[in-house]
Amino acid sequence: MKIYKAHILFTKEKDRFEVYENGYVAVGDDGRVTGVAKNLDELDCDGAEIVDYGDKLLIPAMNDMHVHAPQVHNQGVAMDLELLPWLQNYTFPEESKYADVEYAERMYRRFMHTQWLFGTMRSVVFGTVHTESTRILMKLYQEAGMGALVGKVAMNRNCPDALCEDVDAAVEGNEKLIAEFGGDSHLSPLTSHLSPLVRPIITPRFVPSCTPELLKACGELANKYQLPVQSHLSENVSEIAWVAELEPESKSYGDAYNRYGLFGQTPTIMAHCVWTKGEELELMKRNGVMVAHCPTSNFNLSSGMAPIRSLLDEGVRIGLGSDISGGHDLNMFRMLVYAIQVSKMHYQLNHDKAFLNLSEIFWIATKSAGSFFGKVGSFEPGYEFDALVIDDSVLYPAEYSLLHRLERFIYVGDDRQIVHRFCRGKEVPEPKVD
Ligand code: GUN
Ligand code: FE
């Protein structure tokens, strides 16, 4: 067991921060928190080593719930098109390069290094259609000691030949990765204490990229191996109209996934949901589907403003995603800021609903998002210790309360203030990058 002393802040509930000034958190050998307290004698931990971080802040690590690792080279460029032409003109040509495993490894190292810098210890990631490159990405996460659900992307229509894979090959590629990285659900309470940090996730790209046969095969894989599912949903108006044409029998875009067992039959996360309402919203709630809110991507691809306050009030599960390279920023702390700003735009249009406050968005980014990985995102006993130590000494901490210090780090800080990173109780060293 180890004990960490610092100013500890986390969100057990969405409405307020738990703040332990000069507090202690005890972490067992299995990487789980055993207690958090103001005084050492409140913890049952005689003889445990104490690591004293002095005046620094100790907070839960970040979770990026929707991100495309193979789009890292396009990060911050090609912002002049909306979703569908952006995919065809910029994204698909870049992803085609991942047939080359050397290119893939170089870019994936670069991508993960940036995630590490910004304190993102868990991710839900899209790879590409290429099995071998996706395997490399999973190996790199394993080596780094960072948690990830990684998807080999399924796509077989409306894309260049280089990214088109037939159904049998898609199933075979997935089964190869499942054989190597494990299939039965990492979320099972019976096995979660043994679960590997890196697991496959079934990843149909989105309805326009997948024939009904491929969607059906994806649903069968998710069910057979009890694996989670990720995809895109109701992101952009032109995309939604296209899905309605492609899937006339479906009652909604979400229903098009649901019909194939890809909408909460196993743990499911859907990116964007900017335009989700009515029947689709009811289905999400009923099936416990999580939304990955991607505010920068929704701005850059001119997709819209996701109504996160409404979704939160409806009880929908939510996390935050960078969605690079639709999004431009891998710093998840800045994503909290953007999400608050989007909700303030909604408030401008309708004063009936309050905009998000800091504890709500912090809870969404940590404990709510973390629930997709098991018990992650809080320092309550039983939670896996995913944590960051923040040295904000350059931000004039003596002049601010602890909560304002955290707020300032989120708004104006960056990776230079993150001095230690932990994933499941283990300190994560800087991964190698070319
Ligand atoms: N929909 C299908 N593919 C993508 C993608 O790569 N990025 C975004 N933002 N939306 C998508
Ligand atoms: Fe995306």
Side-chain angles (χ1 to χ4, degrees), residues 243-398:
V243 170
E245 275 173 37
L246 291 168
E247 278 284 326
E249 292 104 87
S250 296
K251 290 194 225 71
S252 64
Y253 191 163
D255 186 42
Y257 293 118
N258 192 45
R259 294 169 44 158
Y260 300 106
L262 295 164
F263 210 60
Q265 288 77 9
T266 59
T268 300
I269 186 158
M270 288 285 159
H272 304 287
C273 306
V274 176
W275 303 101
T276 291
K277 56 181 179 353
E279 203 152 345
E280 181 170 289
L281 177 60
E282 292 309 312
L283 199 56
M284 287 196 89
K285 278 164 45 180
R286 214 166 40 243
N287 292 6
V289 173
M290 186 180 279
V291 174
H293 175 39
C294 306
T296 52
S297 174
N298 294 339
F299 282 140
N300 293 332
L301 298 177
S302 203
S303 295
M305 306 188 297
I308 296 304
R309 159 64 67 202
S310 304
L311 294 175
L312 193 64
D313 289 353
E314 293 273 356
V316 177
R317 299 172 69 194
I318 308 171
L320 298 182
S322 67
D323 193 29
I324 70 154
S325 61
H328 58 277
D329 200 344
L330 277 169
N331 179 351
M332 293 308 294
F333 288 103
R334 227 31 80 71
M335 216 57 59
L336 275 71
V337 176
Y338 301 132
I340 289 175
Q341 290 174 334
V342 172
S343 84
K344 286 178 175 171
M345 293 294 103
H346 271 290
Y347 174 73
Q348 278 304 316
L349 298 173
N350 179 1
H351 276 42
D352 290 350
K353 287 188 187 293
F355 49 78
L356 296 172
N357 64 35
L358 194 72
S359 73
E360 287 172 320
I361 202 65
F362 196 87
W363 178 86
I364 285 173
T366 56
K367 189 170 173 179
S368 173
S371 69
F372 202 73
F373 304 102
K375 286 190 122 184
V376 169
S378 179
F379 293 152
E380 293 157 71
Y383 273 74
E384 300 185 24
F385 185 67
D386 281 24
L388 305 175
V389 179
I390 310 298
D391 179 352
D392 62 342
S393 50
V394 295
L395 297 174
Y396 305 100

Side-chain angles (χ1 to χ4, degrees), residues 417-433:
Q417 285 87 54
I418 305 178
V419 291
H420 297 280
R421 298 150 179 86
F422 293 88
C423 184
R424 196 184 268 172
K426 287 209 175 68
E427 181 147 12
V428 181
E430 183 167 4
K432 191 168 149 285
V433 64

Side-chain angles (χ1 to χ4, degrees), residues 66 68 232 272 323:
H66 180 75
H68 298 262
H232 297 88
H272 304 287
D323 193 29

Side-chain angles (χ1 to χ4, degrees), residues 68 71 83 86-87 91 205-206 232 235 272 297 301 323:
H68 298 262
Q71 295 174 22
L83 174 66
W86 172 86
L87 282 171
T91 306
R205 181 171 207 119
F206 70 156
H232 297 88
E235 174 177 3
H272 304 287
S297 174
L301 298 177
D323 193 29

Side-chain angles (χ1 to χ4, degrees), residues 20 48 64 69 74 141 178 180 196 293 320 355 372 401:
Y20 293 82
D64 190 341
N74 279 355
Y141 272 114
I178 292 164
E180 185 170 347
H293 175 39
L320 298 182
F355 49 78
F372 202 73
S401 67

